[in-house]
């Protein structure tokens, strides 16, 4: 094409952020994961903390505003790293997103008021496991696809190695 034809709109995401998400989907074999998973993956890809923080902040906004295809912010909490992200092979409509958010909020951290932090962590772990299982089952039923399919779609659409 003509030189400069690509420069219509500068992407607000970084390819390494997409790569991190693909890695998480593949490692967990899951349509759903936590923001913390993406942050941990980005630590391997981007050693510089300032650069990484900036990329994470941009990624967060891009997902929140629906600017990255297939990615949806399902729940957000005060902790941030426990935000739940879903990667869907099909476009989810408002109603479908509402259903996923109900599933996610069903196991809200606020239901727990243990003083014991270890006990809390264990409960949170179990809670996330149940949330993931429910959301994965629903996305699988709606899309008739597997998590690896959405990883391949992201790689193809954003020009990242899968």
């Amino acid at each position: 094409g003509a030189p400069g034809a690509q420069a219509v709109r500068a992407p607000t995401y970084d390819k390494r952020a997409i790569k991190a998400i693909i890695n998480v989907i593949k490692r967990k074999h899951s349509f759903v994961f936590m923001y913390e998973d993406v942050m941990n993956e980005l630590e391997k890809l981007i050693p510089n903390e300032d650069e990484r923080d900036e990329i994470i902040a941009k990624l967060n906004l891009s997902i929140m505003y629906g600017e990255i295809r297939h990615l949806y912010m399902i729940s957000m909490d005060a902790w941030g790293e426990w935000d739940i992200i879903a990667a869907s092979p099909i476009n989810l409509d408002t109603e479908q997103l509402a259903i996923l958010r109900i599933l996610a909020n069903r196991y809200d951290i606020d239901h727990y008021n243990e003083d014991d932090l270890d006990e809390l962590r264990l409960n949170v772990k179990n809670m996330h496991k149940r949330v993931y299982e429910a959301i994965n089952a629903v996305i699988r039923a709606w899309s008739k696809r597997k998590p690896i399919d959405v990883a391949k779609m992201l790689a193809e659409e954003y020009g990242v190695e899968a």
Side-chain angles (χ1 to χ4, degrees):
Q6 303 306 16
V8 178
R9 181 183 174 280
T12 53
Y13 61 89
D14 185 292
K15 280 189 175 188
R16 290 168 298 182
I18 304 291
K19 175 70 177 150
I21 288 168
I22 291 169
N23 290 354
V24 170
I25 294 168
K26 285 167 69 174
R27 192 180 69 239
K28 292 190 162 286
H29 304 286
S30 177
F31 291 115
V32 60
F33 43 90
M34 275 190 298
Y35 210 67
E36 183 182 31
D37 298 320
V38 181
M39 284 162 44
N40 292 343
E41 200 58 47
L42 273 171
E43 275 180 26
K44 298 176 204 165
L45 299 173
I46 305 163
N48 181 312
E49 196 178 341
D50 292 338
E51 187 185 1
R52 191 170 63 237
D53 287 347
E54 193 179 317
I55 287 168
I56 286 172
K58 279 184 186 165
L59 175 69
N60 205 359
L61 288 173
S62 298
I63 296 173
M64 267 171 30
Y65 293 122
E67 293 172 350
I68 301 179
R69 287 199 55 198
H70 306 296
L71 298 182
Y72 301 90
M73 194 67 81
I74 300 302
S75 83
M76 301 186 65
D77 64 7
W79 299 78
E81 62 265 28
W82 285 348
D83 290 351
I84 296 174
I85 299 168
S88 172
I90 57 167
N91 287 333
L92 300 177
D93 62 29
T94 313
E95 201 171 290
Q96 288 171 314
L97 278 174
I99 292 167
L100 296 185
R101 290 189 173 125
I102 289 165
L103 289 171
N105 292 335
R106 168 80 187 73
Y107 300 107
D108 202 336
I109 183 75
D110 298 336
H111 296 324
Y112 298 105
N113 34 20
E114 278 95 353
D115 296 327
D116 183 353
L117 259 184
D118 289 334
E119 186 76 15
L120 179 64
R121 277 186 206 283
L122 190 68
N123 280 329
V124 167
K125 236 186 155 115
N126 291 334
M127 161 185 95
H128 282 135
K129 191 168 179 266
R130 291 195 300 267
V131 169
Y132 290 2
E133 283 167 3
I135 293 175
N136 269 315
V138 172
I139 294 177
R140 190 173 280 114
W142 286 338
S143 69
K144 313 275 189 280
R145 306 293 286 269
K146 295 188 179 88
I148 190 70
D149 296 324
V150 75
K152 287 176 184 165
M153 289 173 175
L154 282 167
E156 205 169 289
E157 284 178 45
Y158 292 99
V160 180
E161 291 281 313

